C-alpha cells in the first residue's frame, strides 16, 4: 500500500515537470528568422600564392556557385517562424544538388524582447569539381564529359563522343528550374559495321533530337524527391551501305523515321554508404525507382507504318545496416511494335544487381556480388539475332563464326549470371587500395523455341584484382584473368568499374534488342 501511495505521488509530481519540459522544448524549437547569409567557397579556395598551371585550369573550369542559385532552394523567408528541423531539411536539400561537396547550416541567436527568439542563419557551401566523365563500353556513347555547374548558375552541359562502331557527337543541355529542369539535346553519328564479307556490311547515318521537362512534386519524405518526366524525341536513320532490300524483306535495313514520347514518374534519392562497389570509401548510391511509359510511331520504306509501345520500371534498395543485403538494383524493360493488332519485334529485358554484406570468417571477410541479365525477343525478323555478349543496339548483321562458339541457330534469348566474391578485406599499398576476388560467369543461349543451344554453361572463370586510389575518388580499375571453356583459352580483360545506376533516363529511347 505504501508503494502504491509513493507511485501515485511520484506520478503527480512528475506530470507538471513533464508538461513544463514539453512547453519549454516547444518554445525553444520555435524561432523567428532574421537574416540569411550565404558564404560560397570555390573548389580551389584557398589557392596557393604561385599556383601550378593545372590548378589555374581547374580554377577556370570550376566557377563559384552564384548565391542566387542557393537562395532559390531555400523556402524560408525573413520573419517566418521555423524549427531546427527546417535547417536540417535545407542542408539535406542543398547536399542533394550536384554543386556542393560540403554544406554547413548554422544559426546565431539575436537578443530580442519578443517571446519568440530571433535567429540569423549562416549557410556556408564548398563547391565540388563540376566536371565528370563517364564510359560506356557496351552501348554508345563511348565517352561522355559532363559539366554540372556551367557559369556557376547550375546549367548542365553534356558532351557525348561516339568512338566504337559509331563515329559522331552528341550534345545535351539542361536548364535549371525550381519546379523542374528543362532538357534539350541531339545526336548525330555514323554507324559502321566492318565485315570480311562485303554482302554483310552496312553503314547508316543517324540524327536524333529530343526535348523534355521535369515536374517536381512536394514530398513528405526529406531524403527523396518526387517528380514527373515528360519528353519527346524524333530520329532519322538512313542507310548509306546495306544489303539488297526489296519490299518487306530485310526489314532491319529499311530507312526509317521515328517519333517517340515518354511519360514517367520518378522517386529519386541518394544514400551515402561504404563498402559496396568502392573500396572502403563512401559512395552515393541511388534509392527509389521509376515507372515510365513509351509510345511512338515509325514510318519506314515501302509505306510501313507501325505504332510502338513500351514500359520501363526501376527499383533501387539501399540498406546501410542490413545483415543480408547492402544494395539491390532491379529493372525491367519491355516494348514492341504494333501492326494490324499484332505485336512485332517485342523485347523483354530484365536486370538484377545484388551486393551482400560482409561475411566474417576467422581470418578473412567475404562479400558476394551477383549480376543477372536476361533478354528475349518475340516475333523478331530472321535478320535480327542476339550476340553472345551485350552488343550495340543497332547490331543487324549476323555475328562472325568465331563468335558463335559452334552455334549454328539464331540466338533469340540470352541469360548472363556473374558471381563475384572477395577473399579478404581491402589492403593498402600507398597510394593504392586493392582487393583480390574470384569470379564465375555463366551464360545460357536459347533459340526461337526456347531450347538451350550451348551445352557448356560456364562462360569463363578466374581471378581479378580490383584497384582504387586512397584519396582521389577515381573509378575502380579491375584487372582480370579468366579461362573460357567455350573458347578453350585464357581471356584477359581490363575494365573500369563505374557501377552507378540511375532511376531514369531523360531521353526517350527504344528498348534495345542487344
Amino acid at each position: 500500500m505504501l508503494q502504491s501511495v509513493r507511485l501515485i505521488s511520484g506520478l503527480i509530481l512528475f506530470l507538471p515537470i513533464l508538461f513544463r519540459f514539453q512547453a519549454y522544448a516547444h518554445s525553444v524549437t520555435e524561432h523567428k528568422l532574421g537574416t540569411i547569409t550565404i558564404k560560397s567557397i570555390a573548389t580551389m579556395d584557398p589557392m596557393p600564392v604561385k599556383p601550378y598551371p593545372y590548378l589555374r585550369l581547374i580554377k577556370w573550369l570550376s566557377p563559384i556557385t552564384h548565391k542566387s542559385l542557393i537562395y532559390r532552394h531555400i523556402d524560408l523567408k525573413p520573419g517566418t517562424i521555423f524549427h531546427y528541423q527546417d535547417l536540417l531539411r535545407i542542408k539535406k536539400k542543398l547536399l542533394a544538388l550536384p554543386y556542393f561537396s560540403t554544406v554547413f547550416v548554422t544559426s546565431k541567436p539575436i537578443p530580442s524582447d519578443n517571446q519568440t527568439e530571433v535567429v540569423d542563419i549562416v549557410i556556408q557551401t564548398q563547391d565540388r569539381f563540376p566536371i565528370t566523365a563517364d564510359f560506356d563500353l557496351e552501348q554508345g556513347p563511348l565517352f561522355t564529359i559532363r559539366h554540372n555547374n556551367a557559369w556557376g548558375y547550375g546549367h548542365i552541359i553534356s558532351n557525348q563522343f561516339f568512338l566504337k562502331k559509331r563515329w559522331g557527337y552528341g550534345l545535351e543541355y539542361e536548364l535549371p528550374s525550381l519546379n523542374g529542369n528543362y532538357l534539350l539535346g541531339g545526336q548525330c553519328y555514323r554507324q559502321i559495321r566492318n565485315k570480311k564479307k562485303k554482302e554483310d556490311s552496312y553503314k547508316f547515318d543517324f540524327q536524333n533530337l529530343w526535348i523534355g521537362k521535369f515536374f517536381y512534386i512536394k514530398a513528405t519524405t526529406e531524403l527523396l524527391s518526387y517528380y514527373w518526366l515528360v519528353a519527346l524525341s524524333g530520329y532519322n536513320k538512313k542507310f548509306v551501305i546495306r544489303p539488297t532490300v526489296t519490299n518487306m524483306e530485310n526489314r532491319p535495313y529499311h530507312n526509317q523515321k521515328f517519333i517517340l514520347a515518354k511519360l514517367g514518374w520518378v522517386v529519386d534519392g541518394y544514400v551515402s554508404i561504404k563498402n559496396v562497389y568502392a573500396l572502403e570509401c563512401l559512395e552515393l548510391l541511388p534509392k527509389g525507382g521509376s515507372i515510365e511509359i513509351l509510345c511512338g510511331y515509325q514510318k519506314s520504306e515501302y509505306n510501313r507504318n507501325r505504332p510502338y509501345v513500351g514500359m520501363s520500371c526501376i527499383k533501387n534498395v539501399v540498406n546501410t545496416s542490413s545483415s543480408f543485403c547492402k544494395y539491390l538494383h532491379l529493372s525491367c524493360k519491355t516494348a514492341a511494335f504494333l501492326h494490324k493488332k499484332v505485336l512485332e519485334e517485342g523485347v523483354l529485358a530484365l536486370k538484377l544487381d545484388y551486393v551482400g554484406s560482409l561475411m566474417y570468417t576467422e581470418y578473412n571477410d567475404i562479400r558476394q556480388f551477383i549480376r543477372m541479365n536476361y533478354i528475349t525477343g518475340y516475333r523478331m525478323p530472321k535478320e535480327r539475332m542476339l550476340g553472345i555478349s551485350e552488343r550495340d543496339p543497332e547490331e543487324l548483321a549476323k555475328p562472325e563464326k568465331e563468335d558463335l562458339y559452334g552455334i549454328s541457330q539464331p540466338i533469340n534469348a540470352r541469360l548472363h549470371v556473374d558471381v563475384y566474391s572477395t577473399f579478404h578485406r581491402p589492403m593498402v599499398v600507398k597510394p593504392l587500395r586493392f582487393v583480390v576476388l574470384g569470379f564465375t560467369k555463366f551464360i545460357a543461349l536459347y533459340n526461337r523455341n526456347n531450347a538451350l543451344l550451348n551445352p557448356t554453361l560456364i562462360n569463363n572463370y578466374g581471378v581479378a584484382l580490383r584497384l582504387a586510389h586512397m584519396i582521389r575518388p577515381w573509378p575502380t580499375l579491375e584487372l582480370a584473368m579468366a579461362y573460357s571453356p567455350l573458347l578453350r583459352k585464357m581471356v584477359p580483360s581490363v575494365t573500369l568499374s563505374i557501377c552507378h545506376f540511375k532511376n531514369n533516363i531523360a531521353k526517350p529511347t527504344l528498348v534495345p534488342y542487344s
Side-chain angles (χ1 to χ4, degrees):
M1 187 174 181
L2 288 175
Q3 291 178 355
S4 301
V5 171
R6 291 174 182 174
L7 180 60
I8 294 172
S9 60
L11 289 175
I12 294 174
L13 293 175
F14 178 74
L15 286 176
I17 299 175
L18 178 62
F19 286 126
R20 183 181 301 175
F21 174 77
Q22 291 180 349
Y24 176 75
H26 181 72
S27 62
V28 168
T29 55
E30 279 192 352
H31 300 281
K32 184 177 180 181
L33 180 59
T35 60
I36 300 177
T37 304
I38 294 178
K39 299 180 180 179
S40 299
I41 303 176
T43 305
M44 296 303 299
D45 286 345
M47 286 283 289
V49 179
K50 295 181 179 180
Y52 293 102
Y54 74 90
L55 293 179
R56 296 178 182 176
L57 178 62
I58 293 176
K59 180 73 173 179
W60 179 75
L61 292 174
S62 56
I64 189 170
T65 302
H66 200 268
K67 295 181 180 179
S68 61
L69 183 62
I70 304 175
Y71 278 116
R72 290 170 56 186
H73 293 86
I74 301 175
D75 53 1
L76 297 179
K77 296 181 180 180
T80 58
I81 304 299
F82 72 97
H83 301 76
Y84 275 108
Q85 295 179 354
D86 296 329
L87 303 184
L88 181 61
R89 176 175 52 83
I90 292 174
K91 180 179 179 180
K92 293 180 178 179
K93 191 175 182 180
L94 294 177
L95 283 175
L97 299 174
Y99 315 135
F100 313 113
S101 59
T102 58
V103 176
F104 297 98
V105 181
T106 57
S107 59
K108 181 180 179 182
I110 298 177
S112 177
D113 298 334
N114 299 330
Q115 185 177 2
T116 303
E117 186 179 14
V118 179
V119 175
D120 291 341
I121 297 178
V122 179
I123 300 176
Q124 184 173 345
T125 61
Q126 173 79 46
D127 290 346
R128 67 173 58 177
F129 188 60
I131 297 178
T132 58
D134 189 14
F135 295 90
D136 191 346
L137 302 179
E138 299 295 342
Q139 301 176 6
L142 177 65
F143 182 57
T144 302
I145 299 178
R146 182 183 178 95
H147 198 296
N148 295 304
N149 193 7
W151 308 293
Y153 286 92
H155 299 258
I156 299 175
I157 300 177
S158 178
N159 299 276
Q160 304 163 0
F161 302 93
F162 299 91
L163 301 174
K164 182 184 179 183
K165 296 183 182 179
R166 299 177 176 182
W167 295 92
Y169 175 74
L171 178 65
E172 185 173 357
Y173 174 71
E174 189 169 343
L175 178 64
S177 176
L178 190 60
N179 297 323
N181 295 358
Y182 295 88
L183 299 172
L184 177 64
Q187 293 175 350
C188 180
Y189 62 85
R190 170 161 290 187
Q191 179 84 23
I192 301 173
R193 171 70 174 177
N194 294 322
K195 295 280 291 184
K196 295 180 180 179
K197 296 181 179 180
K198 295 182 180 180
E199 60 269 20
D200 289 337
S201 63
Y202 63 83
K203 182 187 298 184
F204 63 82
D205 295 330
F206 184 88
Q207 299 90 28
N208 185 16
L209 293 175
W210 69 90
I211 57 175
K213 177 71 172 69
F214 295 103
F215 297 93
Y216 288 105
I217 304 172
K218 291 185 178 180
T220 56
T221 306
E222 298 177 356
L223 296 178
L224 298 176
S225 59
Y226 301 78
Y227 54 86
W228 291 94
L229 170 62
V230 178
L232 179 68
S233 68
Y235 73 70
N236 181 30
K237 181 167 71 173
K238 185 176 181 180
F239 281 87
V240 179
I241 300 175
R242 61 179 176 177
T244 303
V245 178
T246 58
N247 296 331
M248 296 305 301
E249 296 181 0
N250 294 335
R251 188 185 309 162
Y253 297 99
H254 289 180
N255 298 329
Q256 56 189 253
K257 297 180 180 179
F258 205 98
I259 297 177
L260 186 64
K262 173 189 286 190
L263 175 63
W265 184 73
V266 183
V267 181
D268 201 6
Y270 293 88
V271 177
S272 296
I273 192 171
K274 196 175 183 180
N275 286 332
V276 177
Y277 292 110
L279 300 180
E280 290 192 348
C281 295
L282 283 175
E283 52 187 325
L284 286 177
L285 293 181
K287 65 182 302 184
S290 66
I291 299 176
E292 299 175 346
I293 298 176
L294 297 171
C295 60
Y297 185 80
Q298 181 195 55
K299 182 178 181 181
S300 60
E301 289 181 293
Y302 308 106
N303 297 322
R304 179 67 168 173
N305 302 324
R306 297 185 298 172
Y308 182 83
V309 293
M311 185 178 66
S312 174
C313 302
I314 298 176
K315 179 62 178 177
N316 295 305
V317 179
V318 183
N319 294 319
T320 56
S321 59
S322 174
S323 59
F324 174 72
C325 174
K326 276 286 186 181
Y327 184 72
L328 179 66
H329 168 82
L330 298 171
S331 68
C332 173
K333 297 180 180 180
T334 181
F337 287 96
L338 296 175
H339 181 66
K340 296 181 180 180
K341 299 181 180 180
V342 177
L343 295 177
E344 294 181 341
E345 297 188 46
V347 180
L348 173 63
L350 305 175
K351 187 174 183 180
L352 179 145
D353 255 61
Y354 167 81
V355 181
S357 299
L358 283 174
M359 299 170 58
Y360 297 99
T361 61
E362 185 176 358
Y363 299 103
N364 300 316
D365 296 338
I366 301 175
R367 169 164 293 181
Q368 297 290 334
F369 302 84
I370 300 176
R371 293 181 177 179
M372 298 179 62
N373 288 276
Y374 177 76
I375 184 171
T376 184
Y378 175 72
R379 293 177 64 90
M380 281 289 176
K382 294 181 180 180
E383 295 81 11
R384 296 296 299 271
M385 62 179 60
L386 288 170
I388 300 296
S389 60
E390 296 183 12
R391 293 173 176 264
D392 190 280
E394 299 294 341
E395 189 73 30
L396 305 180
K398 296 180 181 179
E400 294 89 344
K401 185 176 180 180
E402 55 268 20
D403 288 342
L404 291 175
Y405 304 103
I407 299 174
S408 58
Q409 300 183 41
I411 301 172
N412 190 68
R414 182 186 66 225
L415 172 64
H416 280 279
V417 180
D418 302 341
V419 180
Y420 288 79
S421 179
T422 59
F423 294 148
H424 56 84
R425 287 185 177 181
M427 304 176 67
V428 175
V429 177
K430 292 183 178 180
L432 298 177
R433 184 183 287 114
F434 70 93
V435 64
V436 179
L437 49 87
F439 62 90
T440 304
K441 297 183 179 181
F442 302 90
I443 184 173
L445 307 174
Y446 302 89
N447 61 11
R448 296 179 183 272
N449 298 323
N450 293 324
L452 186 64
L453 296 177
N454 57 321
T456 303
L457 296 181
I458 298 179
N459 190 14
N460 56 63
Y461 57 89
V463 295
L465 178 65
R466 187 170 294 178
L467 302 171
H469 200 275
M470 293 180 58
I471 301 175
R472 304 294 182 184
W474 293 343
T476 302
L477 178 66
E478 189 172 296
L479 309 175
M481 179 62 69
Y483 176 77
S484 175
L486 295 177
L487 295 177
R488 297 181 181 179
K489 64 179 182 180
M490 301 298 295
V491 183
S493 64
V494 179
T495 59
L496 289 175
S497 178
I498 306 177
C499 303
H500 188 77
F501 303 99
K502 297 181 179 179
N503 292 329
N504 73 296
I505 299 176
K507 180 184 66 173
T509 56
L510 300 176
V511 177
Y513 185 59
S514 63

